[in-house]
Amino acid sequence: MEMQKLYLLVPLAPLVGAAIAGLFCRVIPRWLAHTVTIAGVAVACLASYVIFKDVMAGNTYNGPVYQWLTSGDYHFEVGFLIDQLTVTMMLVVTSVSLMVHIYTIGYMQDDPGYNRFFSYISLFTFSMLMLVMSNNFMQLFFGWEAVGLVSYLLIGFWYTRPTAIFANLKAFLVNRVGDFGFILGIGLVLAHFGTLDYAAVFAKAPELAGNTTLALFGEGEGVALMTAICILLFIGAMGKSAQVPLHVWLPDSMEGPTPISALIHAATMVTAGIFMVARMSPLFELSNTALSFVIVIGSITALFMGFLGIIQNDIKRVVAYSTLSQLGYMTVALGVSAYSVAIFHLMTHAFFKALLFLGAGSVIIGMHHDQDIRNMGGLRKYMPITWITSLVGSLALIGTPFFSGFYSKDSIIESVALSHLPGAGFAYFSVMAGVFVTAFYSFRMYFLVFHGEERFGKAADHDAHAAHARTDAHDDHSAHGDAAAHHADDTHAEEHHGLAPGQKPHETPWVVTLPLVMLAIPSVIIGYIGIEPMLFGDFFKGAIFVDTEAHPVMEELAHHFHGAFAMATHAVTTAVFWLALLGVALSWFFYMKRPDIPAAIKSRCGPLYTLLENKYYFDKFNDVVFAGGARLLGRGLWKGGDAGLIDGIIVNGSVGLVRWFAAVARLFQSGHIYHYAFTMIIGVFVLMTLWVTRA
């Protein structure tokens, strides 16, 4: 009973903080708003650690909190499933969220929406915790939609900016597409299993593995039930975890303040889809078709989203496209049945990606909200803490041996190499090529920001940046990233862009740099500590299911593992290490020694650059086909259906018919008796004729 109270404390503590900061945001002082929300998340983090220790001692839990609704034979409950997978996610969510909350004190200190922002991010934490702690599909869907709602509020936090409103509406609509598939999958589960409880569904799944759903259009044999359920559920994950083609919302989410970019991209919303597929491993293991679908989608995302990071000049967008690519890596791992590897990379990625985003935010503060990396350079000596922590994050991202990202990323690549599922060959090419691409764009950003010539504080640069920002606003609906962090008020935003001539960057205050240091520590060590128990021990036993006979990837991977230290030292002989090193060396040569070469490549590969600049025309395609198609359909229903059929034929037509009938009837209402007598005689004559004819 005591532990059950502790389970309740984890999501409720951030909720209480969010309620106090949100409901009383106009009356309470700023210090109280950030104190109650940080305290709530800190309590949740501490409680998560206690629960983690309890689960490691062998005490898992699966049970209801209360019954929400009964409808016939169906029971809908709010309940918790506390196992190794859950506590891993709880620790990641609460620890990263705590660092983001502390960081926000410094980043949002001049913003008039300070209290409101703290309320939102605390509510975001509550929503994600409800999602990962759920023991049934109904509660999962509640958390799923709640993180979508709060992300809408946070991406459009600066609601006076049209670009922010466009971005949050885009995120909301794209996620509705994914969630439509997700709720159809849940509907299929309820229809065929008769329950939404995870344990009951997983236990019954093997019995229904051979079943099919209703055939499309009522003909044929239908689709395999497990394939249909898994693909529909994964479509939901494609929206939340930003997989091609439902990825288009994630880069535009940069319109929100940097702390929420870190929270969305590192520990909450985008990890929800990865977590969900891992949780549903007993279902996905019953469908190779669904697993191959997952592999292909993840492979495309991992490689082609990485290419887009190469041409980005907004510091936050480089990191955003890195997130897309790394989510693709996690998805590929899920597809080859290496679910524990995907969760391991989710965990390591959460720390170093939060570090990179918060590091980018620190640079933005130091540069007075100039986000264009072409206007930076040489920041290493002005912002030493931001520099060294950003270097740690970049080294972890590219998979440098002994850093956390190395252990999880290399494990994904090896898992893909060992898989024989359809699509695994393409996936292996994608993740290998992605190693070079990731190293290249990551250190392109690092070198341009922290090394080389100082390019800030020059009038010409500011003019160029302003022109570039105007172009971005027109093309991408996202002009200035965090430029409105210092709103003058809620109606008019005063936008600052960069340092004045002669002004120098500065290191950020301790509330910003402390979270950077705290996140840098796990970015270095957590992979070394976690790889053996999480991938090759019994850590996820009972929480993740793998059919080792059909998909023996993890067993084969274990044969190649001889310890974390040996894995790192052996890495220098692998192609992965040399591809990453080549990416770093080439970025240094291109941007530190011969910057004329990238410019020449850009001019000679105009069509390719245009393709990348337009993000493969996904946005244009969506705008023309889906948005344009919806407008065309709406116009057709308006003109043809409403104005033509309803108003024109049914409403006005019936009026015209009555008017015509009345006009004809009026001819027989003359008032003369002989007219009426003549009409009666004609009527009798007609009736007699009909009677004689029938006889």
Side-chain angles (χ1 to χ4, degrees):
M1 184 60 71
E2 291 301 320
M3 289 306 298
Q4 292 179 31
K5 291 179 180 177
L6 200 61
Y7 300 154
L8 277 171
L9 183 64
V10 173
L12 292 182
L15 179 62
V16 170
I20 294 172
L23 296 176
F24 306 103
C25 65
R26 294 188 178 275
V27 295
I28 62 175
R30 290 183 169 209
W31 68 265
L32 183 57
H34 71 235
T35 299
V36 294
T37 51
I38 291 174
V41 176
V43 167
C45 186
L46 182 62
S48 296
Y49 179 75
V50 174
I51 296 168
F52 173 79
K53 297 289 287 183
D54 188 57
V55 169
M56 290 300 100
N59 301 314
T60 59
Y61 175 82
N62 181 18
V65 176
Y66 68 92
Q67 190 164 289
W68 178 68
L69 175 68
T70 298
S71 178
D73 295 330
Y74 300 121
H75 302 282
F76 302 95
E77 298 175 333
V78 173
F80 293 145
L81 170 57
I82 307 298
D83 60 11
Q84 298 90 331
L85 179 59
T86 304
V87 293
T88 300
M89 293 298 298
M90 288 164 63
L91 282 174
V92 169
V93 171
T94 54
S95 55
V96 172
S97 179
L98 180 60
M99 294 300 102
V100 170
H101 274 69
I102 296 171
Y103 178 93
T104 300
I105 297 173
Y107 195 89
M108 301 293 287
Q109 62 180 341
D110 297 322
D111 197 282
Y114 187 88
N115 293 0
R116 178 167 58 95
F117 188 80
F118 270 99
S119 174
Y120 286 173
I121 58 175
S122 195
L123 187 61
F124 204 4
T125 307
F126 158 76
S127 303
M128 189 64 186
L129 288 169
M130 286 296 287
L131 187 156
V132 301
M133 295 175 70
S134 62
N135 74 339
N136 62 83
F137 285 92
M138 187 210 73
Q139 187 177 331
L140 174 71
F141 189 71
F142 163 77
W144 197 266
E145 294 303 305
V147 293
L149 170 64
V150 184
S151 70
Y152 170 83
L153 297 173
L154 284 162
I155 294 169
F157 180 77
W158 288 319
Y159 55 83
T160 56
R161 297 164 55 194
T163 52
I165 298 305
F166 178 90
N168 74 345
L169 185 61
K170 184 177 181 180
F172 195 78
L173 292 176
V174 171
N175 273 278
R176 297 290 68 72
V177 175
D179 293 353
F180 180 67
F182 190 60
I183 199 168
L184 285 178
I186 293 175
L188 272 181
V189 169
L190 184 61
H192 287 269
F193 290 85
T195 179
L196 293 178
D197 183 76
Y198 290 162
V201 170
F202 297 160
K204 196 175 179 182
E207 299 175 24
L208 302 181
N211 288 18
T212 59
T213 63
L214 293 175
L216 295 176
F217 312 113
E219 299 177 359
E221 295 182 357
V223 180
L225 176 63
M226 288 305 156
T227 298
I229 289 174
C230 292
I231 289 179
L232 286 170
L233 291 176
F234 181 67
I235 288 172
M238 287 167 63
K240 279 289 180 289
S241 293
Q243 298 297 293
V244 171
L246 301 182
H247 67 284
V248 293
W249 66 271
L250 194 63
D252 285 354
S253 70
M254 296 300 96
E255 285 298 316
T258 295
I260 195 50
S261 299
L263 202 54
I264 287 178
H265 287 240
T268 54
M269 187 164 168
V270 296
T271 64
I274 307 300
F275 162 79
M276 184 274 294
V277 175
R279 176 62 79 195
M280 299 301 134
S281 58
L283 303 182
F284 278 84
E285 284 299 286
L286 298 172
S287 174
N288 283 350
T289 304
L291 289 174
S292 290
F293 181 74
V294 172
I295 290 172
V296 172
I297 294 296
S299 304
I300 295 170
T301 306
L303 180 59
F304 289 94
M305 294 303 106
F307 286 145
L308 296 181
I310 295 173
I311 67 160
Q312 301 300 315
N313 294 311
D314 183 305
I315 188 171
K316 283 173 63 179
R317 282 180 176 263
V318 177
V319 188
Y321 280 107
S322 165
T323 299
L324 282 169
S325 182
Q326 295 306 305
L327 287 168
Y329 274 83
M330 297 177 211
T331 303
V332 168
L334 295 171
V336 298
S337 294
Y339 305 99
S340 56
V341 180
I343 296 299
F344 184 47
H345 192 53
L346 183 156
M347 179 186 71
T348 61
H349 175 266
F351 291 108
F352 65 71
K353 188 51 59 71
L355 174 60
L356 285 170
F357 264 114
L358 298 186
S362 181
V363 169
I364 292 168
I365 295 171
M367 290 294 298
H368 288 216
H369 298 276
D370 184 350
Q371 296 182 203
D372 194 325
I373 60 177
R374 296 170 298 182
N375 296 339
M376 300 177 188
L379 294 187
R380 178 170 61 94
K381 64 181 180 181
Y382 299 104
M383 307 181 71
I385 299 176
T386 302
W387 162 64
I388 193 65
T389 53
S390 296
L391 177 60
V392 168
S394 299
L395 290 171
L397 172 60
I398 70 169
T400 306
F402 291 104
F403 285 77
S404 62
F406 159 75
Y407 292 102
S408 55
K409 195 172 182 180
D410 265 38
S411 297
I412 291 175
I413 295 170
E414 289 184 40
S415 301
V416 175
L418 294 169
S419 177
H420 301 291
L421 285 171
F426 171 63
Y428 184 69
F429 167 77
S430 295
V431 295
M432 286 295 285
V435 170
F436 169 79
V437 173
T438 301
F440 183 80
Y441 68 68
S442 298
F443 273 82
R444 168 183 176 266
M445 178 183 76
Y446 170 77
F447 288 131
L448 287 176
V449 171
F450 294 105
H451 293 272
E453 176 192 358
E454 296 179 3
R455 297 178 297 277
F456 46 80
K458 299 176 182 178
D461 286 338
H462 287 287
D463 292 340
H465 173 65
H468 172 69
R470 285 193 294 272
T471 303
D472 281 349
H474 180 266
D475 292 342
D476 298 330
H477 308 281
S478 52
H480 299 305
D482 283 349
H486 297 282
H487 281 192
D489 52 51
D490 279 341
T491 307
H492 302 288
E494 179 186 357
E495 297 187 343
H496 301 273
H497 291 295
L499 304 166
Q503 195 174 11
K504 299 295 183 183
H506 57 84
E507 186 60 275
T508 43
W510 72 267
V511 288
V512 173
T513 55
L514 176 63
L516 296 181
V517 175
M518 295 299 291
L519 287 168
I521 296 170
S523 297
V524 176
I525 66 172
I526 200 165
Y528 187 94
I529 295 170
I531 184 169
E532 189 161 356
M534 292 184 75
L535 301 194
F536 309 112
D538 293 332
F539 186 86
F540 286 121
K541 186 178 181 180
I544 290 174
F545 172 76
V546 179
D547 183 351
T548 53
E549 291 186 8
H551 311 122
V553 165
M554 291 306 298
E555 285 193 343
E556 294 181 24
L557 192 63
H559 293 318
H560 298 281
F561 182 74
H562 303 290
F565 185 83
M567 181 178 175
T569 53
H570 173 71
V572 297
T573 65
T574 64
V576 177
F577 174 81
W578 290 104
L579 280 170
L581 186 60
L582 179 62
V584 174
L586 194 63
S587 65
W588 173 82
F589 182 71
F590 275 10
Y591 296 99
M592 292 292 97
K593 292 297 182 182
R594 292 291 303 277
D596 57 301
I597 295 179
I601 293 174
K602 177 181 174 180
S603 63
R604 293 180 184 179
C605 301
L608 178 61
Y609 184 84
T610 303
L611 178 68
L612 295 176
E613 193 174 38
N614 285 279
K615 297 170 283 189
Y616 307 117
Y617 294 97
F618 273 106
D619 285 332
K620 192 171 290 293
F621 178 82
N622 291 337
D623 188 48
V624 172
V625 176
F626 294 111
R631 288 192 294 267
L632 187 64
L633 177 63
R635 192 176 298 112
L637 291 173
W638 166 42
K639 294 287 188 181
D642 190 15
L645 179 62
I646 297 175
D647 288 346
I649 296 177
I650 297 176
V651 177
N652 296 332
S654 60
V655 170
L657 181 63
V658 170
R659 186 182 293 116
W660 175 84
F661 183 79
V664 172
R666 192 183 300 118
L667 298 175
F668 298 96
Q669 303 297 323
S670 64
H672 299 290
I673 294 177
Y674 62 86
H675 281 169
Y676 300 147
F678 177 75
T679 302
M680 292 171 64
I681 292 169
I682 294 298
V684 170
F685 175 75
V686 170
L687 290 173
M688 290 295 292
T689 301
L690 290 173
W691 180 73
V692 170
T693 303
R694 288 174 60 86

